[in-house]
Amino acid sequence: MLTVALELFAEHGYDGTSVGQIAARAGVTEMTFFRHFPTKASLLVGDPYDPLIGAAVRRESADLDPISRAARGIRSAWQQLPPPASIEVRMRLRIVAQTPALRAAMTGGTAATEAVIVEALIDGGTGQREAAIAASAVMAALNTALLEWSLADDEELGQAINAALDVLVDRHG
Amino acid sequence: MLTVALELFAEHGYDGTSVGQIAARAGVTEMTFFRHFPTKASLLVGDPYDPLIGAAVRRESADLDPISRAARGIRSAWQQLPPPASIEVRMRLRIVAQTPALRAAMTGGTAATEAVIVEALIDGGTGQREAAIAASAVMAALNTALLEWSLADDEELGQAINAALDVLVDRHG
DNA sequence: AGCAGAATGTTACCCACTAACATTTTCACC
DNA sequence: GGTGAAAATGTTAGTGGGTAACATTCTGCT
């Protein structure tokens, strides 16, 4: 179904493709589509790594300021991951980058990861407010970096992520 | 219509209130509602200050790193604003804070402000990528701060904003 | 072959939102 | 004070995303 959907999105764009069309080309009912995917947007935006990131943030020293701690945690979580199939990921993110509704859905879709980071920071002694602010800022930077990366050719994803976090952490003014 | 909507949201929640109900209680047709408000969410999330913020960011020294520049711009823009009717604003934001769909819509709703900040940063010599990342991080922090503020009692809004930006700028680790 | 449970289909519905066209209200000008 | 144009509102009808309840077909296992 995902493959079929990506084809149609490439042909007619995200908004120009209805769930009915996807289901039809997949030889299936609209109802069946919604049994496999909770929403149309979930074809493109997901939140796969939250527990890993939570643990990684917790592992960083509680002496760091919350931004640094969250950023370091994400960097280290990233290194533990198997490198994803970049081309697939890039295709998906490109569609997200070009569709305003999906950009918004993306930040909604990382709410779970954000919550996990907030919890980890709080457990490390950071106040609730600071934790929420730091987590949302770091996740926003990360999401923006992913979208920007998707629009470029021939760049390493890990590198783009590091560069994004550096904008927050290693500020050279 | 706004007043009526807020009543209904208070009674049945945002998701539990349909546009039809709002229109009916306002003595008006659903169609008329959509002529006044582009979307249901626009009753609660808006983006009123983008040009002001863009100008303020541009006014800050281009020698600063992008995060500092954006943050200082927002602080200064804030001081120029007439203090809003805090109670109203708080009520609205509380509903947003409690409704996941609206939280996502809020970040979508500040896309214009974000774009304006990005442009200002680029004009100051920051690269496209860095500018996009810094702007999204700062706006995310700001939005989070607004939502957290709305859930507290008796706090100055300006103070909450300053504290949020300090998490990004004056990091004490 | 026969059965249980999973996957799929059918129908019917709700809600946000849009388009096209008709109707009423408002208000400035004669 | 009437008139006519413009603005606001109403009507009808439709699209697309998403859900609920119930019926049907497949699947795999014994």
Side-chain angles (χ1 to χ4, degrees):
Chain A
M1 200 116 66
L2 222 169
T3 317
V4 167
L6 290 180
E7 282 172 31
L8 283 167
F9 291 160
E11 289 173 32
H12 315 298
Y14 179 80
D15 290 325
T17 305
S18 76
V19 171
Q21 288 166 4
I22 298 168
R25 189 180 289 196
V28 121
T29 300
E30 206 175 315
M31 190 69 251
T32 299
F33 173 93
F34 283 112
R35 283 198 261 250
H36 289 302
F37 302 91
T39 64
K40 182 185 175 189
S42 71
L43 286 166
L44 297 171
V45 312
D47 205 9
Y49 304 132
D50 35 327
L52 197 60
I53 291 181
V57 170
R58 227 174 281 265
R59 224 176 287 124
E60 297 295 326
S61 159
D63 288 342
L64 296 167
D65 66 285
I67 295 274
S68 300
R69 196 150 115 103
R72 289 175 65 102
I74 288 176
R75 276 195 243 257
S76 108
W78 180 254
Q79 286 169 353
Q80 298 176 249
L81 286 177
S86 289
I87 294 179
E88 268 272 328
V89 174
R90 211 190 289 261
M91 270 191 57
R92 305 227 275 241
L93 285 178
R94 271 189 193 172
I95 299 171
V96 176
Q98 288 158 9
T99 311
L102 285 176
R103 291 185 82 121
M106 187 170 177
T107 80
T110 52
T113 299
E114 209 174 303
V116 147
I117 295 175
V118 169
E119 212 191 319
L121 290 176
I122 289 179
D123 285 357
T126 306
Q128 149 81 22
R129 300 284 277 275
E130 269 185 292
I133 288 159
S136 66
V138 170
M139 286 305 296
L142 190 60
N143 283 334
T144 302
L146 287 173
L147 295 180
E148 291 278 328
W149 165 82
S150 80
L151 298 175
D153 296 319
D154 302 320
E155 188 188 6
E156 292 266 353
L157 179 46
Q159 214 173 326
I161 291 175
N162 276 320
L165 297 175
D166 282 346
V167 173
L168 292 186
V169 175
D170 289 334
R171 288 159 33 225
H172 40 283
Chain B
M1 199 119 63
L2 223 168
T3 317
V4 167
L6 290 180
E7 283 172 31
L8 284 168
F9 291 160
E11 288 173 31
H12 314 298
Y14 179 79
D15 290 324
T17 305
S18 76
V19 170
Q21 288 166 4
I22 297 168
R25 189 179 290 193
V28 121
T29 300
E30 208 174 315
M31 189 71 250
T32 299
F33 172 92
F34 283 111
R35 281 199 262 249
H36 289 301
F37 302 91
T39 64
K40 182 185 174 189
S42 72
L43 286 165
L44 297 171
V45 311
D47 205 10
Y49 304 131
D50 36 328
L52 197 59
I53 289 180
V57 170
R58 227 174 280 264
R59 223 175 287 125
E60 298 295 324
S61 159
D63 289 341
L64 295 168
D65 66 285
I67 295 275
S68 299
R69 197 151 114 103
R72 289 174 65 102
I74 289 175
R75 276 195 243 258
S76 110
W78 179 255
Q79 284 168 352
Q80 298 177 247
L81 286 176
S86 289
I87 294 179
E88 269 272 329
V89 173
R90 210 190 291 259
M91 268 190 59
R92 305 227 276 241
L93 285 178
R94 271 189 192 173
I95 299 171
V96 176
Q98 288 158 11
T99 310
L102 285 176
R103 293 185 80 121
M106 186 170 178
T107 80
T110 52
T113 300
E114 211 174 302
V116 146
I117 294 175
V118 169
E119 212 191 318
L121 290 176
I122 289 179
D123 285 357
T126 306
Q128 148 84 21
R129 301 283 277 275
E130 269 184 292
I133 289 160
S136 67
V138 170
M139 285 305 295
L142 191 60
N143 282 335
T144 302
L146 286 174
L147 294 181
E148 291 278 328
W149 166 82
S150 79
L151 298 174
D153 295 319
D154 301 320
E155 188 189 5
E156 292 267 353
L157 180 45
Q159 213 173 328
I161 291 175
N162 276 321
L165 298 175
D166 283 346
V167 174
L168 292 186
V169 176
D170 289 334
R171 289 157 35 224
H172 40 281

